């Protein structure tokens, strides 16, 4: 793949990150960062782990699309899983937001004592430790996104798995500055908020979770 | 106001007010600025503007599906005028698809002229998870491959 195309993919990620991604995924990144006060040496570590996971997923998907050489067949099948990730993400945000807002009482702890697959997945990304942001990033890389679909289309036409992977790696790296900034600022905000403001923030996160669940379920309702 | 009243107010009123505020904000984010209404319905047949006909099949137009995009040149007043005249000598056309108010990445479809003088090419419209369905198809002037390109005709349509 020629350098100019890689530069275009990187630029698409950079400009998309500042505009599209900030609006669509910024709330998710912000929500997790506000809700989870990560115990890390530096507040940047959780964000870097999250973005590493996300870009890894993009790169892997780019390799798959490039290797298969077709966007439509693969994307149609993948959409079902992607919107399931969106619903799961929304559910996580809802739970975390309600927990931060102090509205769950002991319910959340009782739920998490069950060992269903979904709750095990939730436990792996919920918590204060910085390392949890890595599986979170890996998972959220699957979120459906119109901009990333366009990049997957380019990867499918790139000529091979390696080319497709590099294309998505360039795109993913372009999105990192904006996502890093949003997550870092949200984490600092979470640390600075106290008492009632923090609980209000939790409510906002919970409502965003409802929005993402609604969007995900709407996809299945219209199919 | 006593502390007890303030606490009750917060617990009861905030969950009612916050959904309204956030929903209003989010719906503004989703819809963006005022969206123009679609002026093209591909399922009803070819759309015509500035001497160009534009059609998409299969119908209805769906996102995440391979689509056949066709552009035809229509003579105006018995002569090739307007965009038709300018494009009639070209062997290829480019149609650029964008979504008003939402950055969806570059999506340009190259159409090649067939034996009947119709420009055809295959393209895909990615789905927008926000639910937005309005698309803008711009037929670009010759030489558009190297740069932004001058728009010869623009069609607004919805994809499911």
């Amino acid at each position: 793949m020629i350098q100019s195309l890689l530069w275009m993919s990187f630029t698409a990620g950079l400009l998309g990150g500042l505009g599209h991604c900030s609006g669509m995924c910024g709330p998710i990144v912000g929500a997790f960062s506000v809700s989870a006060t990560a115990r890390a040496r530096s507040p940047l570590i959780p964000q870097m782990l999250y973005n590493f996971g996300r870009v890894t997923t993009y790169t892997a998907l780019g390799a798959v699309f490039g290797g298969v050489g077709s966007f439509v067949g693969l994307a149609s099948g993948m959409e079902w899983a992607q919107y399931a990730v969106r619903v799961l993400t929304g559910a996580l945000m809802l739970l975390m937001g309600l927990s931060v807002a102090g509205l769950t009482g002991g319910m959340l702890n009782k739920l998490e004592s069950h060992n269903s697959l979904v709750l095990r997945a939730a436990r792996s990304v919920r918590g204060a430790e910085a390392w949890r942001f890595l599986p979170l990033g890996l998972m959220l890389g699957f979120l459906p996104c119109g901009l990333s679909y366009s990049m997957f289309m380019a990867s499918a036409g790139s000529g091979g798995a390696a080319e497709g992977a590099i294309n998505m790696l360039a795109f993913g790296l372009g999105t990192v500055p904006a996502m890093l900034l949003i997550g870092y600022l949200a984490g600092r905000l979470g640390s600075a908020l106290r008492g009632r403001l923090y609980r209000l923030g939790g409510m906002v996160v919970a409502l965003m979770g409802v929005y993402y669940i609604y969007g995900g379920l709407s996809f299945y309702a219209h199919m | 106001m006593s502390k007890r009243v303030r606490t009750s107010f917060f617990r009861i009123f905030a969950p009612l007010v916050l959904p309204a505020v956030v929903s209003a904000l989010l719906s503004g984010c989703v819809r963006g600025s005022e969206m123009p209404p679609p002026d093209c319905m591909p399922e009803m047949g070819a759309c015509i503007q500035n001497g160009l006909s534009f059609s998409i099949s299969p119908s209805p137009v769906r996102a995440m599906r391979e689509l056949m995009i066709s552009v035809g040149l229509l003579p105006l007043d018995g002569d090739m005028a307007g965009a038709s005249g300018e494009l009639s000598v070209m062997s290829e056309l480019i149609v650029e698809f964008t979504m008003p108010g939402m950055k969806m990445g570059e999506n340009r479809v190259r159409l090649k002229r067939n034996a009947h003088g119709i420009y055809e090419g295959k393209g895909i419209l990615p789905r927008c998870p926000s639910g937005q369905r309005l698309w803008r198809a711009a037929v670009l002037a010759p030489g558009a491959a190297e740069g932004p390109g001058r728009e010869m005709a623009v069609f607004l349509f919805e994809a499911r």
Side-chain angles (χ1 to χ4, degrees), chain A residues 8 20 24 71-72 75-76 79 83 86 144-147 149-150 153 196 199-200 203-204 207 211 219 223, chain B residues 6-7 10 14-15 18-19 22 26 30 64-66 102-107 124-130:
Chain A
M8 278 173 59
H20 181 110
M24 298 295 285
F71 172 78
V72 173
S76 300
E79 266 195 304
Y83 280 88
R86 179 172 170 144
C145 166
L147 183 56
Y149 284 151
S150 298
M153 281 161 54
R196 208 166 285 173
R199 293 209 301 271
L200 273 173
M203 283 299 303
V204 173
L207 287 165
Y211 169 69
F219 167 76
M223 294 312 289
Chain B
R6 281 202 306 270
T7 305
F10 169 74
L18 277 174
V22 175
L26 286 177
V30 166
M64 309 294 273
R65 300 285 187 272
E66 193 170 73
M102 185 72 73
K103 282 202 184 302
M104 296 288 280
E106 186 176 284
N107 190 354
I124 302 167
L125 298 176
R127 191 188 312 283
C128 181
S130 70

Side-chain angles (χ1 to χ4, degrees), chain A residues 54-72:
Chain A
R54 190 174 56 84
V55 174
T56 299
T57 299
Y58 282 165
T59 306
L61 288 173
V64 171
F65 277 104
V68 170
S70 164
F71 172 78
V72 173

Side-chain angles (χ1 to χ4, degrees), chain A residues 49-135:
Chain A
L49 286 171
Y50 163 76
N51 282 286
F52 179 78
R54 190 174 56 84
V55 174
T56 299
T57 299
Y58 282 165
T59 306
L61 288 173
V64 171
F65 277 104
V68 170
S70 164
F71 172 78
V72 173
L74 203 57
S76 300
M78 200 171 80
E79 266 195 304
W80 288 84
Q82 284 185 297
Y83 280 88
V85 170
R86 179 172 170 144
V87 173
L88 178 62
T89 303
L92 286 174
M93 289 170 68
L94 177 61
L95 287 173
M96 285 184 346
L98 290 176
S99 174
V100 166
L103 294 175
T104 57
M107 182 185 76
L108 204 59
N109 293 332
K110 282 183 189 169
L111 272 179
E112 290 194 336
S113 67
H114 290 82
N115 207 30
S116 72
L117 181 64
V118 171
L119 288 168
R120 267 187 284 162
R123 271 202 298 273
S124 73
V125 298
R126 183 180 173 270
E129 293 83 6
W131 68 264
R132 294 181 189 275
F133 278 71
L134 178 59

Side-chain angles (χ1 to χ4, degrees), chain B residues 50-121:
Chain B
N50 199 20
L52 299 176
S53 72
F54 171 77
S55 60
I56 306 178
S57 61
S59 181
V61 179
R62 288 187 181 274
M64 309 294 273
R65 300 285 187 272
E66 193 170 73
L67 304 168
M68 179 64 77
I69 293 109
S70 305
V71 171
L73 308 182
L74 304 173
L76 298 175
D77 299 325
D79 197 2
M80 296 297 275
S84 305
E86 199 170 337
L87 299 173
S88 61
V89 295
M90 302 306 297
S91 61
E92 282 188 357
L93 278 183
I94 288 180
V95 176
E96 181 176 62
F97 291 96
T98 54
M99 182 171 275
M102 185 72 73
K103 282 202 184 302
M104 296 288 280
E106 186 176 284
N107 190 354
R108 289 183 166 195
V109 179
R110 195 178 291 268
L111 311 186
K112 292 192 188 249
R113 189 172 183 162
N114 64 18
H116 305 286
I118 306 289
Y119 295 86
E120 288 184 323

Side-chain angles (χ1 to χ4, degrees), chain A residues 11-23 147 171 174-175 178-179, chain B residues 103:
Chain A
T11 308
L14 195 66
L15 296 175
L18 293 170
H20 181 110
C21 302
S22 300
L147 183 56
F171 168 72
T175 65
M179 293 292 100
Chain B
K103 282 202 184 302

